[in-house]
Amino acid sequence: MYEIVSSVRRDYIADLAREGKRIDTRTMDQFREVSVEVGPIKSAQGSALVKVGKTQVVAGIKVEHAEPFPDKPDNGMLVVNAELLPLASPTFEPGRPSENAIELARVVDRGIRESNAIDLDKLVIKSGEDVWAVFIDIYVLDHDGNLIDASALAAIAALLNAKPPEDEAWTLPEFPIQKRPVAVTVAKINSKLMIDPCLDEEGVMDARITIATIEDGSICAVQKGGIGCFSREELEQAYEMARAEGAELRAKLG
Amino acid sequence: MLYVQNRELVVPGQLIAEGSYNVREGAFREGKQVYASVVGLAELRGQDIRIIPLQGRYIPKPGDVVIGVVVDSYYSGWILDINSPYTGNLFVSDLLRRKVDLVREDISQYLSMGDVVVAMVKDVNERMRVQLEAGEPGMGRVKGGKLVEISPAKVPRVIGRKGSMLNTLQDVGECKLRVGQNGRIMIWGKNPRMINAVVEALLMIEREAHISGLTDRVHLMLEKIKSEGGE
Amino acid sequence: MKKPEKLIENGKRLDGRVPDEMRPLKIEAGILERADGSAYVELGANKVLAAVYGPREMHPRHRQQPDTAVLRCRYNMAPFSVDERKRPGPDRRSVEISKVTREALESVLFLELYPRSVIDVFIEVLQADAGTRTAGINAASVALADAGVPMRDMVSSIAVGKIDDTIVLDLTKDEDQWGTTDMPIAMVPRKKLVTLLQMDGHFTKEEFGQALGLAFKACEQIYGIQRQALREKYAIKQEK
């Protein structure tokens, strides 16, 4: 199933974009209202509920024993999984994860993995035999656009909230988080760039680019999506938008 | 014997009355008792009991004006999404109001995928197959403007008593509106700021339909935005 | 946790409740934007969301029924809702619960009003502490009403069981694990008709009767809270 975007709505959003305006009256570099609630799920080691406008995502952390990958005997494991729950949108269907769900999980995974947000070197119990696996489960509850940024923010907020497992094999004083990657998505409509596309804008956009940055403003992960293209200048402009907004979002992590 | 007041909020399964009343939409009878089947406002008029629903999908009925979006086409017409569990069929002859020789004429010139169409429900059969017509003046393909969707149950509030709310939206908002019974509303106007103000007003009506003094609040809000000026 | 010596001491259960006491129940209607109807339920430490979509067009088309709507239910647990991470996706338990939930709800719906369509009910358990199917049914029932689906009545649900030879209402996970009997039940409160009943464990004839009595009383109470949740969302408020 797909969302029907009528020609009238498409034209309206595209015409507004040309004038630097948006359907919900935001400015081009204005993120929707963001709230971060940490620890709502007590059965998880860490959790966070993030709202971006009407979009709602909850992330839960589980830390469990696992056998390490043969080529990484001295590393803990990170597993990111995302569920586009059928309760979140009329277009989401039950069943195996869709390609959108898998892309979402992988983009969030990359931001956390490549920034070394979790010190996986420390999550070894016995080399080659027993390590800690960190599961990040992303649960999309209400889909009103820009799931990537909401999910990435929920994931890092949940990690920062994570308590060590109650297990005698755990010897670290706390959960080893060392970086705070934050993803920001910029959409392109009618040759104009706008941050944090809402659902209507996602239905119309030519392309999007998600840039995850860390504290010093450097990039740790990027994902371009959609069939449209970006010029070099646009990429640099998008990076600048993502860097500035990334700092704002990071401030919400406390 | 009535157990609720007129305009009282009721919930499914709630006892409304006992006795020989006429049971209309939103209510059902079990023996002597009449119960509500939906969340809504009880309307008690003479012997008639109906519940005005506060939620729910649009179910088409003949004579309704709806705003549809073309989602598919076939050799002699189109299928329109009408924001309902049921799609609407529009024959090309019911759009053009004339006989069409399908061998000679390419009907794709009249409507394409994604086009927005103002139509009237011509017929609904017992299997809920819906026939539309769109040949009257003011109907057919929509050009320009902004399309807004609200809960179909809130449409009566957008129109208001004797059209009072709709007049406020059009006059103070300086826009022209076309309201579909299926919760879709088209807005046309010169000033994008006022179009957005009317959209805001519609969302406010949807959100606050159950809070008293709505027409006044909508009026005030639109006046305020208008007085701020600019585009 | 090890099995405590006693599950009931001086008439009080592990969490301080008396035998016929339900855990705190909180219900909120209409909390999701996209769904046609929704509800959030907290029953003790259970946190459950339900969403309703429909009536909407049935896909695939060959599953349409010419004279009625079809009700579909999906009960699902979040991986982080239980102590040990649950693998995502349906397992045998959730498939069974989805089925009995659908059957518990179906009899109150006027499905014949919407030929060829489908009504989808999605139940997501975010945090589990025994009794999730009952919390799910309570949530689904409110979500259906919030979606404007015509209903003969609500459906209310609770579990009863036996611990330390005592009949108790609304078991926690620990009580379920260490007790001898668990019996989830759902009913149409107005007519006092049971639409879901499952049981595992052991009851004598007297205990069964006593358990039903407790459940019926609790469902009355839940029914009130469900209606209140709907009233709170839709009540006419005076302008401030």
Side-chain angles (χ1 to χ4, degrees):
Chain A
M1 271 179 72
Y2 58 96
E3 309 256 346
I4 301 157
V5 181
S6 66
S7 53
V8 164
R9 184 165 299 178
R10 185 177 297 272
D11 295 348
Y12 188 80
I13 293 174
D15 288 349
L16 282 179
R18 193 166 41 229
E19 298 168 32
K21 289 175 183 159
R22 302 177 73 173
I23 188 162
D24 53 10
T25 73
R26 280 185 290 160
T27 58
M28 302 304 256
D29 60 355
Q30 188 182 352
F31 222 82
R32 284 171 291 176
E33 200 171 304
V34 175
S35 77
V36 181
E37 180 194 344
V38 292
I41 308 294
K42 306 290 177 262
S43 48
Q45 252 104 50
S47 62
L49 170 66
V50 165
K51 295 183 188 170
V52 175
K54 299 271 166 98
T55 290
Q56 291 193 56
V57 175
V58 62
I61 310 290
K62 282 281 181 188
V63 184
E64 293 178 354
H65 288 267
E67 201 179 309
F69 291 116
D71 59 331
K72 285 185 176 162
D74 296 309
N75 276 129
M77 281 159 71
L78 169 66
V79 180
V80 180
N81 168 61
E83 301 276 323
L84 300 180
L85 300 176
L87 60 58
S89 162
T91 61
F92 294 167
E93 286 172 355
R96 294 164 56 84
S98 64
E99 63 178 27
N100 288 331
I102 290 170
E103 183 193 32
L104 174 62
R106 287 183 58 84
V107 173
V108 173
D109 179 297
R110 231 175 294 154
I112 290 165
R113 194 180 299 277
E114 301 307 323
S115 65
N116 290 317
I118 309 169
D119 190 351
L120 294 175
D121 294 346
K122 287 199 175 135
L123 296 182
V124 182
I125 304 163
K126 191 162 184 219
S127 173
E129 284 179 25
D130 194 6
V131 298
W132 293 108
V134 180
F135 291 92
I136 304 177
D137 281 292
I138 289 163
Y139 237 45
V140 176
L141 305 178
D142 212 351
H143 173 30
D144 196 30
N146 197 7
L147 296 178
I148 297 181
D149 296 1
S151 301
L153 193 62
I156 188 64
L159 282 172
L160 287 165
N161 170 251
K163 311 205 174 20
E166 285 172 24
D167 187 312
E168 42 200 44
W170 185 274
T171 51
L172 301 173
E174 55 194 12
F175 202 75
I177 300 295
Q178 44 191 14
K179 282 286 183 319
R180 297 171 179 211
V182 170
V184 173
T185 297
V186 175
K188 181 174 166 182
I189 298 175
N190 214 352
S191 304
K192 290 287 165 64
L193 299 185
M194 56 188 74
I195 209 164
D196 177 31
C198 66
L199 190 68
D200 277 335
E201 291 167 337
E202 281 188 352
V204 173
M205 69 189 176
D206 306 306
R208 63 164 155 81
I209 188 151
T210 302
I211 301 174
T213 57
I214 51 175
E215 285 88 334
D216 65 3
S218 58
I219 306 178
C220 60
V222 177
Q223 180 86 343
K224 183 254 169 190
I227 54 173
C229 320
F230 289 97
S231 69
R232 179 175 175 169
E233 290 70 31
E234 285 169 342
L235 291 176
E236 283 171 357
Q237 193 193 337
Y239 177 26
E240 205 36 56
M241 288 165 96
R243 212 162 61 103
E245 185 57 41
E248 302 275 328
L249 290 179
R250 202 170 291 108
K252 298 202 182 280
L253 294 170
Chain B
M1 173 77 186
L2 286 166
Y3 293 95
V4 298
Q5 310 257 311
N6 195 28
R7 308 289 294 172
E8 187 176 325
L9 177 73
V10 295
V11 296
Q14 185 170 342
L15 181 62
I16 308 294
E18 222 172 83
S20 57
Y21 292 92
N22 303 321
V23 179
R24 309 289 185 198
E25 311 88 63
F28 65 101
R29 171 183 292 285
E30 265 176 23
K32 284 202 174 77
Q33 282 86 27
V34 179
Y35 299 94
S37 66
V38 295
V39 180
L41 302 176
E43 194 179 77
L44 316 166
R45 248 189 227 164
Q47 286 297 297
D48 285 3
I49 295 178
R50 65 161 56 76
I51 311 299
I52 301 165
L54 295 172
Q55 270 291 13
R57 302 299 307 271
Y58 169 68
I59 304 300
K61 57 178 194 303
D64 283 356
V65 171
V66 296
I67 296 177
V69 178
V70 179
V71 290
D72 206 351
S73 66
Y74 51 98
Y75 74 102
S76 60
W78 299 270
I79 295 174
L80 271 64
D81 171 276
I82 50 170
N83 194 30
S84 164
Y86 308 103
T87 51
N89 285 294
L90 178 61
F91 288 128
V92 62
S93 52
D94 285 330
L95 173 70
L96 303 177
R97 275 187 135 180
R98 62 171 166 85
K99 280 206 169 149
V100 177
D101 184 346
L102 292 165
V103 181
R104 290 193 181 175
E105 235 175 305
D106 174 16
I107 69 162
S108 68
Q109 60 184 305
Y110 301 116
L111 286 177
S112 336
M113 245 26 84
D115 274 355
V116 176
V117 177
V118 178
M120 186 184 276
V121 178
K122 187 178 172 185
D123 185 45
V124 182
N125 77 6
E126 68 208 26
R127 297 281 177 261
M128 299 305 287
R129 297 200 193 277
V130 181
Q131 284 303 332
L132 302 173
E133 59 186 335
E136 283 186 38
M139 292 199 175
R141 190 164 79 91
V142 165
K143 295 179 198 80
K146 181 167 184 174
L147 178 64
V148 179
E149 252 173 50
I150 64 162
S151 162
K154 307 280 164 57
V155 165
R157 301 307 306 267
V158 172
I159 294 164
R161 205 165 291 154
K162 289 183 183 147
S164 57
M165 184 71 92
L166 189 57
N167 288 340
T168 300
L169 289 166
Q170 300 200 110
D171 299 348
V172 188
E174 298 171 340
C175 291
K176 188 181 175 316
L177 271 71
R178 191 78 206 243
V179 183
Q181 290 296 322
N182 59 339
R184 291 208 178 115
I185 300 165
M186 281 301 311
I187 309 169
W188 297 273
K190 287 206 178 73
N191 186 341
R193 216 172 45 83
M194 287 318 291
I195 294 176
N196 270 324
V198 170
V199 173
E200 267 311 301
L202 288 169
L203 297 180
M204 181 165 141
I205 294 168
E206 183 175 40
R207 211 170 43 236
E208 303 177 8
H210 52 297
I211 306 175
S212 60
L214 188 60
T215 316
D216 293 344
R217 279 203 307 288
V218 167
H219 198 111
L220 262 159
M221 183 195 124
L222 289 173
E223 285 287 7
K224 183 167 174 283
I225 294 175
K226 193 153 105 179
S227 69
E228 283 162 4
E231 278 214 358
Chain C
M1 177 174 165
K2 278 201 199 119
K3 181 175 193 278
E5 217 161 280
K6 280 182 171 174
L7 293 167
I8 301 182
E9 206 154 1
N10 301 324
K12 292 274 176 75
R13 295 152 70 176
L14 295 174
D15 58 4
R17 282 183 293 155
V18 294
D20 64 351
E21 189 178 345
M22 189 170 71
R23 288 174 284 183
L25 174 64
K26 186 180 120 185
I27 305 182
E28 234 177 299
I31 34 79
L32 298 177
E33 170 77 7
R34 297 304 305 284
D36 294 316
S38 59
Y40 173 69
V41 165
E42 280 184 18
L43 175 65
N46 290 302
K47 296 185 177 181
V48 178
L49 268 175
V52 170
Y53 283 89
R56 60 177 167 177
E57 205 175 355
M58 166 67 111
H59 292 288
R61 211 166 263 238
H62 66 84
R63 290 184 58 192
Q64 291 183 356
Q65 298 291 319
D67 51 355
T68 181
V70 173
L71 178 67
R72 292 191 296 208
C73 280
R74 179 188 189 254
Y75 163 99
N76 186 49
M77 287 182 104
F80 44 75
S81 64
V82 281
D83 280 344
E84 194 178 325
R85 179 177 183 267
K86 190 198 156 296
R87 274 178 63 110
D91 52 21
R92 294 173 68 83
R93 174 182 172 275
S94 64
V95 170
E96 185 205 350
I97 293 177
S98 300
K99 175 183 185 284
V100 295
T101 298
R102 185 187 76 232
E103 291 165 342
L105 295 168
E106 191 159 334
S107 68
V108 299
L109 302 177
F110 288 95
L111 293 178
E112 63 277 13
L113 291 177
Y114 307 107
R116 300 193 295 118
S117 70
V118 60
I119 298 173
D120 277 305
V121 175
F122 299 115
I123 296 168
E124 290 291 338
V125 178
L126 302 177
Q127 187 174 299
D129 187 24
T132 55
R133 81 193 66 185
T134 69
I137 289 169
N138 291 330
S141 177
V142 173
L144 282 161
D146 181 47
V149 176
M151 307 164 81
R152 290 180 182 84
D153 200 7
M154 310 293 284
V155 178
S156 307
S157 182
I158 195 74
V160 275
K162 185 164 75 169
I163 56 174
D164 288 2
D165 285 321
T166 306
I167 304 299
V168 296
L169 186 67
D170 185 23
L171 285 73
T172 62
K173 191 174 60 195
D174 292 332
E175 290 175 330
D176 185 28
Q177 191 178 351
W178 307 120
T180 47
T181 311
D182 179 31
M183 183 167 83
I185 185 165
M187 61 186 276
V188 186
R190 182 160 58 75
K191 291 191 151 182
K192 303 210 172 3
L193 292 174
V194 172
T195 63
L196 175 144
L197 185 64
Q198 298 178 288
M199 191 271 234
D200 49 63
H202 178 262
F203 272 149
T204 64
K205 188 183 171 208
E206 289 69 29
E207 287 168 341
F208 184 61
Q210 198 191 338
L212 285 176
L214 273 193
F216 273 52
K217 221 174 111 197
C219 282
E220 283 293 324
Q221 196 186 339
I222 294 163
Y223 187 43
I225 297 169
Q226 288 174 308
R227 290 171 150 214
Q228 190 52 36
L230 288 168
R231 285 177 197 287
E232 258 160 45
K233 186 182 165 196
Y234 290 101
I236 295 169
K237 294 167 190 107
Q238 292 305 311
E239 200 181 344
K240 274 167 212 150

